[in-house]
Amino acid sequence: MKKILVTGSSGYIGQHLCLYLSKMGYQVTGLDRYDNGGVGCHTFCHTFIHQDILDTNQIEGEYDTVVHLAALVQVGMSHLCPMEYYRTNVIGTMNVLERLNYNNFILASTCQVDEPHVYGTSKRMAETIVRNYCSLNDKSHTVFRFGNVVGSAGYLPTNM
């Protein structure tokens, strides 16, 4: 059984991805700074790690794939607190790259990487770091540039 770690597992995409991967038979570990008391991603993951990606603690375990969804994503807020966006989206990504054992790294980025705002710039920097780090360390990687992500399901079941 393949082991997958999903950062940002408490978010919209994270919860849906963890549910899907679990249903497909993968052993899913969720990692998020938000601990919502055992609902949502906790229900869909085999294991949940309550940790911020800015923490420099080593994360135990070996994973076939890391899906890195954890990020700050609001364009307007990125102008109000730019350093928080650079810390989370750039340094947080570096922490995930360096503090986990994995074979494949998947980064969720944005179609806004070429826009002149802090959010887009921080995600473009994260993409460059992922490509360079994975190439230097002989790890495979994928970068997805998402637009707005919405779905028909406005809720997730609390039990499967």
Side-chain angles (χ1 to χ4, degrees):
M1 176 183 311
K2 289 197 174 199
K3 294 174 66 177
I4 300 176
L5 179 106
V6 177
T7 70
S9 61
S10 293
Y12 181 81
I13 298 172
Q15 288 188 46
H16 284 82
L17 181 61
C18 289
L19 173 61
Y20 176 78
L21 292 172
S22 292
K23 284 184 173 183
M24 295 304 293
Y26 295 101
Q27 183 177 343
V28 180
T29 298
L31 183 143
D32 206 293
R33 69 180 175 173
Y34 296 112
D35 183 354
N36 53 6
V39 296
C41 64
H42 291 34
T43 306
F44 314 137
C45 297
H46 294 85
T47 307
F48 178 76
I49 301 169
H50 182 218
Q51 183 171 328
D52 191 312
I53 61 171
L54 293 174
D55 292 346
T56 57
N57 298 330
Q58 186 74 19
I59 299 167
E60 298 298 319
E62 293 188 20
Y63 302 94
D64 295 294
T65 300
V66 171
V67 181
H68 182 45
L69 303 174
L72 295 178
V73 299
Q74 296 177 336
V75 174
M77 286 299 295
S78 73
H79 294 292
L80 298 176
C81 48
M83 296 314 292
E84 286 300 310
Y85 275 71
Y86 288 123
R87 267 191 283 284
T88 300
N89 296 350
V90 178
I91 296 171
T93 297
M94 291 169 58
N95 285 344
V96 174
L97 284 167
E98 294 181 311
R99 290 179 171 71
L100 288 165
N101 293 317
Y102 56 90
N103 298 318
N104 185 40
F105 193 90
I106 299 172
L107 173 68
S109 189
T110 178
C111 63
Q112 298 186 39
V113 294
D114 294 322
E115 298 297 321
H117 47 64
V118 173
Y119 169 61
T121 301
S122 70
K123 294 301 278 186
R124 183 176 56 251
M125 293 169 71
E127 285 184 11
T128 300
I129 290 165
V130 166
R131 287 184 183 104
N132 290 339
Y133 184 88
C134 289
S135 293
L136 289 170
N137 291 282
D138 199 31
K139 295 182 183 291
S140 63
H141 65 282
T142 303
V143 173
F144 284 113
R145 287 185 176 173
F146 292 105
N148 290 335
V149 178
V150 296
S152 61
Y155 67 93
L156 289 170
T158 56
N159 53 12
M160 293 176 35

